[in-house]
Amino acid sequence: GLHTLPSAELPFVFNSSVTASAVFLEGRPGAELRAEDTSTRMLAFHTGSPRVTLRGLGIGSPLLVAGGDLVVEDSSMTDCSAGGGGAVMLSAGSLSARNTSFMRNRAAVGGAALLSGGTASFQGCLLEQNVADDRGGAVFINGTAHVTFLDRTLLKGNTAPDSAGGSIWIEEDSGGTLTYKLPTPLGRWVLSGD
């Protein structure tokens, strides 16, 4: 079912005061997690936080990774909005998205993700119909972020204003990197509609 978190109590912060080596939030089919105001960052991960895995969830509010390790598996991040990184903003630490869809998210930059530091990998993900009002319809990379797209990742139908990175925008001279890993024989890498 749907679990709505009161925006006044958010974001829920993971940092060094959380005394666990790992945290798992796992949903059953149809499980959804969102803030009352879908533009409120729901979860924030900071330096010293335990490794957090979100699995099998429909996530409807943006996340912040400013340290620590976040894994999102077999989930969807849909209809999220924020000023930067509609679904997720990464400034430090790591983000690993596996078999997760990022759909219909919106932001000024990075409709689905704003990646400005740390490392991010997207494996077997779908980034579709995300919108940036300025740059990077799906993903905006700047700062020192190191980003990898692995096989079976599909970017499709993402939009940004003319010449502003329909799917991906990498800020010039920022130091950020984007790596495409070749797919397996049965996998594929596709940029379409951009």
Side-chain angles (χ1 to χ4, degrees):
L2 173 63
H3 299 282
T4 303
L5 303 174
S7 295
E9 298 175 17
L10 297 175
F12 182 81
V13 176
F14 290 89
N15 58 27
S16 59
S17 67
V18 176
T19 55
S21 59
V23 174
F24 294 87
L25 298 174
E26 189 164 357
R28 294 186 174 137
E32 293 183 53
L33 188 60
R34 71 180 66 237
E36 285 176 319
D37 174 1
T38 58
S39 65
T40 298
R41 294 218 183 263
M42 183 171 52
L43 302 174
F45 307 91
H46 294 281
T47 302
S49 74
R51 179 184 183 96
V52 176
T53 300
L54 306 176
R55 183 180 298 132
L57 294 170
I59 301 167
S61 297
L63 308 176
L64 169 66
V65 182
D69 301 312
L70 174 63
V71 177
V72 182
E73 297 179 330
D74 304 317
S75 295
S76 63
M77 297 193 74
T78 305
D79 298 322
C80 303
S81 64
V88 64
M89 180 168 52
L90 171 71
S91 61
S94 71
L95 166 67
S96 178
R98 297 183 205 122
N99 303 315
T100 293
S101 62
F102 296 81
M103 296 182 63
R104 298 186 311 273
N105 301 294
R106 185 178 199 110
V109 294
L114 167 59
L115 309 168
S116 63
T119 60
S121 66
F122 296 83
Q123 181 175 11
C125 292
L126 171 64
L127 292 89
E128 183 174 17
Q129 297 177 350
N130 298 288
V131 177
D133 298 325
D134 189 1
R135 293 170 283 167
V139 176
F140 180 89
I141 301 169
N142 71 351
T144 59
H146 299 285
V147 182
T148 303
F149 286 104
L150 301 164
D151 89 319
R152 296 183 336 266
T153 292
L154 175 66
L155 291 97
K156 179 179 171 186
N158 300 292
T159 59
D162 293 339
S163 302
S167 276
I168 301 170
W169 177 273
I170 302 174
E171 193 72 14
E172 188 175 1
D173 298 326
S174 70
T177 62
L178 174 63
T179 302
Y180 303 99
K181 295 238 177 160
L182 294 175
T184 63
L186 297 176
R188 64 182 178 164
W189 169 256
V190 177
L191 284 172
S192 67
D194 305 311

